[in-house]
Amino acid sequence: MTRVLPIEVHDLTVSYQKKPVLYGVDLEIQEGSLVGILGPNGAGKSTLVKTIMNMIRPNGGYVKIFGKDPKIGMKQIGYVPQRESVDWEFPVTVMDVVLMGRYGHLGWLSRVTKHDRQKASECLEQVNMLPYADRQIGNLSGGQQQRVFLARALAQESSVYLMDEPFAGVDAVTEKTIVSIMRNMKKEGKTLLVVHHDLSSAKEYFDQLLLLNMRKVAFGPTSKVYTHELLQKTYGGRLAVLSEMATEMAKSPELEL
Amino acid sequence: MNFFPVFDLNTIFLVPWSTDQLVQWNGQVILMGLLVCWTNGILGSFIVVRRMALMGDAISHGILPGLVISFLIFGSLEIGPMLIGACSAGLACSLCIEWLRSHTPIRQDASMAIVFTSFFAVGVTLINLQTDHLDLDTGCILYGEIGLTPLSPDLLFMGLNCGNRSICLMGAVCVFVLLIVSLSYRQLLLTSFDPTLAHSYGWPVKLIHLGLMFLLALSTVASMEAVGVILVVAMLVFPCVTASFFSERLPIILVITFPLGILYTFGGFHLAHWLDCSIAAAMAIAATIIFIIACALSPRGILLRLK
């Protein structure tokens, strides 16, 4: 007997104005996986995330979350947005943002409780951001901003997490914090799907990789998927970039783009 | 001869409040001003943080033809028919903007400018075409005349005389808006800041947005007699923008809009008494002056940043 999959994608096709972005993608993600999604720009990474979140209606195929329609299932998904998509001038403090992670647990008219504040503080503590709780979010460094949104995701207490480029533009300390928290979450049995842009670090951060370029190129354990051949297939014409990166990788294992 | 009338403290500040009759008349004007400022200040704050200040401008101008057409059909300036006209025109306006944006190479800001100016022009023309057999004054709809609020007839509600009709309506709208905003503050906050997260909670993001637009149309229609469809934008945008010099938290910004409303109303009222101009315009000028002061001197203002 098999357990219900946290995320199941079957023959998914999504197109923007008749131009296909995702084509016939099948995906079965087991509970407790830590999956990195890799692919060149415009490969449909964010589209895949948005379709799972039920923000884009697929043209064909389906997504199921714990065996249910995404409309119902998405409530079990925690979400970390891409940093560029956030309005950093918005008049909210770090605490306000983390508390938003608790809204899903509240009734329509009920107020934020002491327990919610307690939980939010704990989550901020986990990412070492508690001293900044009263800061407006624009007055933080890029790494700190990303950690606030990670704390918000923790406060959601979801069982599945989707993260859109959590490592984009962050400092080394933040990168380490995020990785260790992701590993902890995995240990607690949570399922994580992370859109990632940095080839070199993908190998050490994720247990499983999804190589995406409109179609699913490969999906499986990192050791089997992270091969020159498959990466080349994914990144296609950007061979030069790839071999460049390979040389860089050989030189320094911690490459920052 | 001076360009400005003589600045005499007595005539400007004391004479308007010197007799019982004047106090009663001007008290109603001030009350109307406060209600307009508070309602629009609160709603406007959400419009501004949603980065829709221009949209607020567009909607308040774009509803004009709707107001005129519904006046032609129903023949009354009651809030009900006016609201129907305003909402349908507002909806048509945003549909046109959306269609232009998605079906033509025109960008959103340009399509907004095109749509709302054409709607506005159609509205003005309609009023002019109908002036022969219509009791509708362009000036009143465009600029409002808050000074004439006390002339509004008494409102009879279930046999009870509730007092001035305009003030009653504006008061009801104000209470309604405050009630909705305080009950669904979290929903408005999250759908403004991170609609994606709100969507993932299963909240009706689009419906909440439409609800806010409805409140915007409602408060624009109710404020129309007082400040007109042009200056209502000032009452929407200034409070939040000025308050954000003093606080970086939305709840506090919302609270600050109340004292700002009082400053705008009294400032505008007495300024109008000095310059003998439209009170609504003077209120907008008061708002501008306070904005400039806040911009320069507040804790987050320019002068302190330069240090």
Side-chain angles (χ1 to χ4, degrees), chain B residues 97 100-102 104-115:
Chain B
I97 294 172
L100 275 181
R101 195 189 60 79
S102 55
T104 64
I106 307 169
R107 290 178 192 231
Q108 187 167 15
D109 54 341
S111 59
M112 236 150 82
I114 286 172
V115 171

Side-chain angles (χ1 to χ4, degrees), chain A residues 53-55 74-75 77 79 81 86-87 89-93 96-97 100-104 106-110 112 136-137 139 149 152 156, chain B residues 49-51 102 182-190 192-197 199-204 208 244 247-251 253 300:
Chain A
M53 301 271 302
N54 194 33
M55 292 179 64
M74 69 182 172
K75 288 177 189 169
I77 293 184
Y79 170 66
V86 176
D87 176 6
E89 297 288 312
F90 202 96
V92 282
T93 61
D96 292 330
V97 171
M100 286 174 191
R102 304 297 302 168
Y103 286 6
L106 297 174
W108 190 258
L109 292 177
S110 54
V112 173
Q136 195 267 333
I137 51 167
N139 300 330
F149 275 84
R152 186 179 81 174
Q156 281 186 258
Chain B
V49 295
R50 281 174 183 240
R51 307 220 154 169
S102 55
S182 50
L183 283 180
S184 49
Y185 171 74
R186 281 191 295 115
Q187 283 75 11
L188 286 170
L189 174 71
L190 186 57
S192 306
F193 179 66
D194 191 346
T196 314
L197 186 67
H199 175 85
S200 82
Y201 289 154
W203 291 2
I208 293 171
S244 60
S247 173
E248 294 180 313
R249 286 200 65 209
L250 191 56
I253 289 179
R300 303 181 59 213

Side-chain angles (χ1 to χ4, degrees), chain B residues 51-299:
Chain B
R51 307 220 154 169
M52 284 176 51
L54 256 182
M55 192 68 180
D57 199 0
I59 297 275
S60 61
H61 284 60
I63 63 175
L64 187 62
L67 296 176
V68 183
I69 291 170
S70 82
F71 183 75
L72 289 176
I73 296 172
F74 298 101
S76 85
L77 276 169
E78 291 293 328
I79 193 153
M82 286 287 118
L83 196 57
I84 295 172
C87 287
S88 9
L91 199 66
C93 198
S94 46
L95 285 179
C96 287
I97 294 172
E98 189 51 34
W99 188 86
L100 275 181
R101 195 189 60 79
S102 55
H103 287 76
T104 64
I106 307 169
R107 290 178 192 231
Q108 187 167 15
D109 54 341
S111 59
M112 236 150 82
I114 286 172
V115 171
F116 88 74
T117 42
S118 6
F119 269 60
F120 190 66
V122 169
V124 172
T125 316
L126 275 178
I127 298 177
N128 290 337
L129 277 176
Q130 300 298 330
T131 33
D132 298 345
H133 34 105
L134 268 193
D135 176 28
L136 200 61
D137 178 25
T138 332
C140 183
I141 285 196
L142 298 191
Y143 315 116
E145 195 34 87
I146 194 170
L148 299 180
T149 306
L151 285 182
S152 170
D154 282 354
L155 177 74
L156 291 170
F157 183 69
M158 289 166 52
L160 279 171
N161 189 340
C162 309
N164 190 297
R165 205 187 67 94
S166 303
I167 292 179
C168 281
L169 272 180
M170 196 67 228
V173 170
C174 185
V175 169
F176 182 64
V177 165
L178 289 180
L179 202 70
I180 297 271
V181 167
S182 50
L183 283 180
S184 49
Y185 171 74
R186 281 191 295 115
Q187 283 75 11
L188 286 170
L189 174 71
L190 186 57
T191 49
S192 306
F193 179 66
D194 191 346
T196 314
L197 186 67
H199 175 85
S200 82
Y201 289 154
W203 291 2
V205 177
K206 274 192 184 144
L207 202 70
I208 293 171
H209 177 79
L210 276 179
L212 185 64
M213 291 298 107
F214 171 77
L215 288 181
L216 182 66
L218 179 68
S219 103
T220 309
V221 170
S223 323
M224 186 181 68
E225 285 174 54
V227 293
V229 293
I230 298 184
L231 287 172
V232 74
V233 184
M235 300 302 132
L236 282 171
V237 176
F238 271 111
C240 172
V241 174
T242 310
S244 60
F245 281 113
F246 297 97
S247 173
E248 294 180 313
R249 286 200 65 209
L250 191 56
I252 300 170
I253 289 179
L254 291 177
V255 170
I256 297 178
T257 59
F258 286 93
L260 281 176
I262 297 174
L263 285 176
Y264 295 171
T265 311
F266 280 96
F269 177 78
H270 291 291
L271 190 64
H273 270 262
W274 172 33
L275 299 176
D276 192 22
C277 64
S278 145
I279 297 178
M283 278 165 69
I285 291 177
T288 314
I289 294 169
I290 294 165
F291 168 77
I292 293 170
I293 295 171
C295 184
L297 299 177
S298 74

Side-chain angles (χ1 to χ4, degrees), chain A residues 132-182:
Chain A
Y132 300 91
D134 291 327
R135 283 256 193 117
Q136 195 267 333
I137 51 167
N139 300 330
L140 300 170
S141 72
Q144 291 172 327
Q145 289 174 338
Q146 197 65 64
R147 276 186 272 161
V148 171
F149 275 84
L150 192 66
R152 186 179 81 174
L154 289 171
Q156 281 186 258
E157 295 183 306
S158 310
S159 37
V160 181
Y161 283 97
L162 299 179
M163 305 188 180
D164 207 343
E165 307 237 0
F167 298 106
V170 304
D171 52 285
V173 180
T174 303
E175 189 147 351
K176 263 184 196 155
T177 315
I178 298 178
V179 171
S180 81
I181 285 174
M182 285 197 318

Side-chain angles (χ1 to χ4, degrees), chain A residues 100-119:
Chain A
M100 286 174 191
R102 304 297 302 168
Y103 286 6
H105 297 264
L106 297 174
W108 190 258
L109 292 177
S110 54
R111 301 191 149 265
V112 173
T113 62
K114 229 177 190 172
H115 170 73
D116 294 315
R117 290 187 181 278
Q118 184 67 34
K119 184 82 209 161

